[in-house]
Amino acid sequence: MQTIDTDVTIIGAGPAGLCLARALSGTGLRITVLDREPEAALRAPAFDGREIGLTQRSVRFLQRLQLWNRLPADQAHPLRQARVFNGASHDALEIGPSDPGADPLGWLVPNHAIRAAAFECVAASPDVELLAGVRVAAVDTDAATARVRLDDGRVFASRLLVAADGRFSETRRALGIATRMHDFGRSMLVCRVTHERPHEDIAWEWFDHGHTLARLPLGRAAPEGRRSSIVLTLPGAQMRAVQALDDEAFATEIERRCDGRLGAVSEVGTRHVYPLVGAWATRFAATRVALVGDAAVGMHPVTAHGFNLGLLGVERLAGLLRNAAASGADPGASALLDRYDRGHRRATAPLHLATRGVVGLFTDDRPPARALRAGVLRASASFPPFRRLLAALLADRDPAGSRVTGRHDRTEQGDGRPRAADRW
Ligand SMILES: Cc1cc2nc3c(=O)[nH]c(=O)nc-3n(C[C@H](O)[C@H](O)[C@H](O)COP(=O)(O)OP(=O)(O)OC[C@H]3O[C@@H](n4cnc5c(N)ncnc54)[C@H](O)[C@@H]3O)c2cc1C
C-alpha cells in the first residue's frame, strides 16, 4: 500500500471540483483532484446539451480564475432579457432591460465548454495534480486526517477532503451524510434547433399546460439570431414518446408545442434527456470534509442556478482556505468548515426553497394552481419592485454596481499587473 500525502484531496473533476482546485492554486497547498472519467473525456468533454445560464457574479469569478478568457469566442452568448409566459397567454412577465443596448442580464455558455476551460486552467496550475480514470474504493476521516483509498491500493492522506462528485455523490454517502433527494417526476430534454423568427437574445420560460418549455438564445441577435436551445420538461412516459420521434417529426412537434412562436423549426441537433432530481445535503461539512457543487446542493434547472450556487460555494470555501493557508492554519479545521457550512447554507437555502415552490406551482395543472400562477405573474408585472428584485437576483449585481460587459474584459492593467478586482 502506497500512501501519498497531500493537503487537499478533491473527488470529482467536474466544473465545481476543477474551479475549486484552480482557486486554491498558488496558496502553497498541495491539491490532488481524482475523477473516474478518463483524461480524454475531461480534457475535451462531449457536448451534453446543457447551456449554462451564468449570473454576472459567476462570470466575474470565472474571470478571476482566468477561465472566462479561455472560452472560445463563439461560446458565450449574452442573455439580454427573460420573458415568463403562463398557459396560452402571450402576455409575458419581462425580467431585465428592454433596451437592446443595455448590459446583459447574464450569459449562456455550453457546459462542455466550461468543463474544457476549467480543465485547461487546472492543467496550467503546477501545484494541482489531476488523476483521471481512477476508482475510489473507500474514504474515511478522523480528527487528524482524511484518507481516500483507490482500488489500486494507493491511499491519499490529506488535511481536507472535498466531495465534488455531483448530486448523486458516492463520497457523501460513504461518509454517512444524509441528503434530501426530491424526484420531480419529470425529465428535461435539451436540444439545439434553428428557427425562422429571430430570438433577439431573449430567453423564454413558458409554463404551459401539460409541459414546460424554455427557449435559450444562442449566437448573436438578428440576422444570425435564429438558433436556440429548446428545453422541454415532461413526465417520463410522454418524454419517451417525444424522444422516439425522428428529427423531422421532432421539429414539427417543437413548432406545435411553441404554438408557432418560433416559426418553422429545422436543423435539430442531438437530444439529451436528464431526470429531474433535486438534492440538498443535510450538512455541507463534516470532520475534515466539505461538500461543493451539486454534491451539496443539486437544483432543479428551471431557475438556472445550479452551477451559479456551486461557484458561490467554491468562492466561499476557497476564500476561507486561502486565508488559512496564508496564516499557516489547518485547512481542515472544524471552525473553518463550520463557517463554510453555515455561510453556504444561508446563501443557498432561500433559492433552493423558492425553486421548489416555483416548480410546484407552475407544473400543477389543477384549476386553482393555474389561477394562482396567473395572479402571481399579473401581480409581478404590475409591481416593478418585484420585477427589479428578480432581475437583480438573475444578474446578481453587487451594490457597487460592478458588471460584466464582454467576454474579454481585461484582467490586467496595461503594465500586466492584475487589477484590484482580480486579486483575492
Ligand atoms: C439540463 C440542465 C441544465 C442546467 N442549466 C443550468 C443553468 O442554466 N445554470 C446553472 O447554474 N446550472 C445549470 N445546471 C446545473 C449544472 O449543470 C450543475 O450544477 C453543474 O454541472 C454541477 O457541477 P459539479 O461539478 O458539482 O458536478 P458534475 O458536473 O456532476 O461533476 C461531477 C464530477 O465528479 C465525477 N465523479 C462522480 N462520481 C465519482 C466518483 N465516485 N469518483 C470519482 N469521480 C466521480 C464525475 O465524473 C464528474 O466529472 C443545469 C443542469 C442540467 C441537467
Side-chain angles (χ1 to χ4, degrees):
M1 186 175 79
Q2 183 197 2
T3 300
I4 299 148
D5 287 321
T6 180
D7 292 311
V8 181
T9 303
I10 300 171
I11 301 183
L18 292 175
C19 286
L20 178 66
R22 173 65 174 188
L24 295 180
S25 176
T27 55
L29 295 169
R30 294 161 302 167
I31 321 297
T32 305
V33 186
L34 308 170
D35 201 286
R36 63 183 173 196
E37 293 293 325
E39 185 174 320
L42 297 174
R43 184 182 295 279
F47 175 68
D48 60 15
R50 300 185 208 185
E51 314 288 346
I52 304 294
L54 294 169
T55 62
Q56 299 279 20
R57 178 187 178 129
S58 293
V59 173
R60 287 195 296 275
F61 184 50
L62 295 178
Q63 285 176 333
R64 292 210 303 276
L65 297 182
Q66 290 170 3
L67 186 154
W68 188 249
N69 60 337
R70 289 174 198 269
L71 291 169
D74 59 352
Q75 297 291 304
H77 311 297
L79 176 59
R80 188 164 65 78
Q81 204 188 53
R83 288 187 186 159
V84 184
F85 298 95
N86 182 37
S89 170
H90 280 232
D91 295 335
L93 171 66
E94 293 185 358
I95 299 169
S98 48
D99 169 13
D103 292 337
L105 199 57
W107 293 80
L108 285 161
V109 183
N111 193 44
H112 75 288
I114 296 176
R115 295 190 68 150
F119 182 92
E120 246 189 60
C121 282
V122 162
S125 307
D127 45 2
V128 180
E129 190 180 12
L130 172 58
L131 282 91
V134 296
R135 292 268 148 203
V136 173
V139 291
D140 76 275
T141 67
D142 57 34
T145 313
R147 279 169 295 272
V148 179
R149 186 162 58 78
L150 301 185
D151 66 354
D152 60 12
R154 279 179 292 174
V155 175
F156 291 86
S158 51
R159 294 191 285 165
L160 176 65
L161 168 62
V162 179
D165 50 348
R167 71 184 62 201
F168 301 105
S169 169
E170 286 171 18
T171 311
R172 186 182 64 203
R173 173 175 285 266
L175 291 164
I177 299 177
T179 302
R180 292 188 197 110
M181 307 295 288
H182 182 86
D183 191 329
F184 290 92
R186 285 176 165 74
S187 301
M188 179 173 270
L189 180 148
V190 280
C191 175
R192 288 179 172 184
V193 298
T194 302
H195 45 85
E196 201 179 1
R197 302 219 173 115
H199 56 52
E200 299 171 285
D201 294 332
I202 296 173
W204 297 342
E205 185 69 59
W206 182 7
F207 297 101
D208 203 356
H209 305 147
H211 67 214
T212 306
L213 254 175
R215 194 280 307 269
L216 307 174
L218 303 176
R220 285 277 160 184
E224 308 97 53
R226 290 182 165 82
R227 202 166 56 112
S228 294
S229 173
I230 292 296
V231 185
L232 173 64
T233 305
L234 284 173
Q238 290 179 41
M239 185 62 86
R240 274 192 293 282
V242 170
Q243 264 183 287
L245 299 173
D246 64 28
D247 282 356
E248 203 176 322
F250 179 78
T252 308
E253 178 70 5
I254 295 299
E255 265 174 53
R256 182 187 71 77
R257 285 183 181 270
C258 288
D259 196 21
R261 297 180 201 197
L262 290 175
V265 171
S266 58
E267 288 182 48
V268 171
T270 50
R271 293 172 234 166
H272 304 259
V273 176
Y274 295 90
L276 290 176
V277 181
W280 175 260
T282 54
R283 286 180 292 156
F284 295 167
T287 306
R288 298 216 166 261
V289 172
L291 311 185
V292 297
D294 280 13
V297 184
M299 296 280 288
H300 187 298
V302 70
T303 45
H305 265 84
F307 184 47
N308 290 301
L309 294 188
L311 283 177
L312 204 62
V314 165
E315 199 177 350
R316 183 181 300 277
L317 183 61
L320 291 167
L321 292 173
R322 291 181 77 91
N323 287 342
S327 60
D330 179 357
S334 56
L336 181 156
L337 295 173
D338 284 349
R339 274 186 71 186
Y340 167 68
D341 180 37
R342 274 198 312 275
H344 195 42
R345 196 165 286 283
R346 256 200 315 267
T348 52
L351 202 57
H352 187 72
L353 286 175
T355 302
R356 285 275 298 272
V358 165
V359 173
L361 177 62
F362 282 86
T363 54
D364 185 342
D365 277 337
R366 288 171 299 180
R370 284 188 190 189
L372 181 60
R373 66 194 194 219
V376 166
L377 287 177
R378 257 198 317 274
S380 315
S382 51
F383 187 52
F386 180 79
R387 260 205 335 264
R388 276 201 296 276
L389 191 75
L390 268 179
L393 185 72
L394 280 170
D396 218 355
R397 287 168 206 276
D398 59 33
S402 76
R403 60 195 167 75
V404 174
T405 53
R407 196 186 128 264
H408 289 295
D409 273 13
R410 305 296 327 152
T411 55
E412 292 182 345
Q413 295 180 1
D415 59 4
R417 284 179 294 122
R419 296 193 312 196
D422 303 318
R423 292 190 209 113
W424 282 87

